[in-house]
Amino acid sequence: MFSGIKYITITNLGLSQIYLNEKKLLNIEKWFKPNDLSNFSPIPVHDFGNGRLTITDGHSRAFIAHKHGLEKIPVLYDTDDIVTSQIGQLLYKNDIIWCERFNLNDIRDLGSRIITNEEYQTLWIGRCDKSYNLLTQTTAKQRADFNLLHPNLFLFGSNENLDTLFFEDKAGEVFKYLIK
């Protein structure tokens, strides 16, 4: 943990997101000036115990900064409740696992995962909602038991009623499992 703003090498920062929204990137491109970071708010980062600081918000801004040749960007330590609360910790650690599963090690790796706004709403926001449902309505033991239903797949979420589980294979293909 640190206080204030630090400048850190972009590629040393971990990720907590597996897609970038093309529309967001285009909007950032309109105002971003690599030689003048006065409009560039520091990127919030947090240490989730995985050996590196992880971006908690601002992946799109970090990507554009890197795209324009910046090696270091301003960051600040994220102490928001959504990050530091028990559920926040579970959600972000889960996001980090997703990044690892898809071999997303740093901001450069998101360059091949830019999707339309509509796809982003479904593939990312929808995924986060499903993860939230699962993590807030079950215990670690229940999730471990659910994992046994399809041991070769990765459990990532459920619907609000917890009667449908969502699994995926290594390629990211999603499978629904209806709980009887």
Side-chain angles (χ1 to χ4, degrees):
M1 184 168 172
F2 61 89
S3 60
I5 297 171
K6 291 177 98 174
Y7 279 78
I8 295 186
T9 302
I10 299 172
T11 55
N12 288 345
L13 298 171
L15 305 175
S16 64
Q17 190 169 310
I18 61 174
Y19 296 106
L20 290 176
N21 183 325
E22 178 182 51
K23 184 177 179 180
K24 279 186 183 180
L25 295 174
L26 292 172
N27 285 335
I28 294 166
E29 285 281 8
K30 291 177 185 175
W31 60 261
F32 182 78
K33 294 178 178 72
N35 298 325
D36 177 11
L37 294 183
S38 60
N39 288 354
F40 192 91
S41 298
I43 302 292
V45 297
H46 192 84
D47 182 355
F48 293 98
N50 61 336
R52 68 198 298 200
L53 292 172
T54 298
I55 299 171
T56 57
D57 191 30
H59 290 78
S60 298
R61 289 183 293 125
F63 181 80
I64 293 298
H66 184 269
K67 179 182 166 188
H68 284 274
L70 292 182
E71 291 183 21
K72 293 186 175 194
I73 54 172
V75 300
L76 56 83
Y77 199 82
D78 195 340
T79 58
D80 286 347
D81 286 344
I82 189 63
V83 174
T84 61
S85 68
Q86 182 178 3
I87 188 63
Q89 289 285 303
L90 279 173
L91 290 167
Y92 275 99
K93 287 177 181 178
N94 205 39
D95 294 347
I96 291 167
I97 290 168
W98 294 345
C99 292
E100 290 169 356
R101 287 189 70 249
F102 290 107
N103 296 314
L104 303 172
N105 299 307
D106 65 57
I107 204 69
R108 297 172 292 192
D109 297 327
L110 288 176
S112 63
R113 299 187 64 89
I114 299 170
I115 55 179
T116 67
N117 188 53
E118 293 76 22
E119 291 170 317
Y120 186 84
Q121 296 306 312
T122 302
L123 296 175
W124 180 244
I125 302 300
R127 180 185 189 93
C128 291
D129 290 345
K130 289 174 179 78
S131 175
Y132 179 83
N133 294 338
L134 181 69
L135 293 173
T136 59
Q137 297 183 55
T138 61
T139 64
K141 168 78 168 96
Q142 288 172 308
R143 292 189 296 276
D145 289 344
F146 288 150
N147 270 316
L148 296 175
L149 296 170
H150 290 289
N152 295 328
L153 298 176
F154 177 79
L155 173 66
F156 73 86
S158 72
N159 67 346
E160 289 180 7
N161 301 327
L162 203 63
D163 59 12
T164 304
L165 299 174
F166 296 92
F167 292 84
E168 69 185 359
D169 63 15
K170 290 183 186 225
E173 184 177 348
V174 175
F175 300 89
K176 290 182 185 180
Y177 180 85
L178 301 176
I179 299 176
K180 297 178 185 178

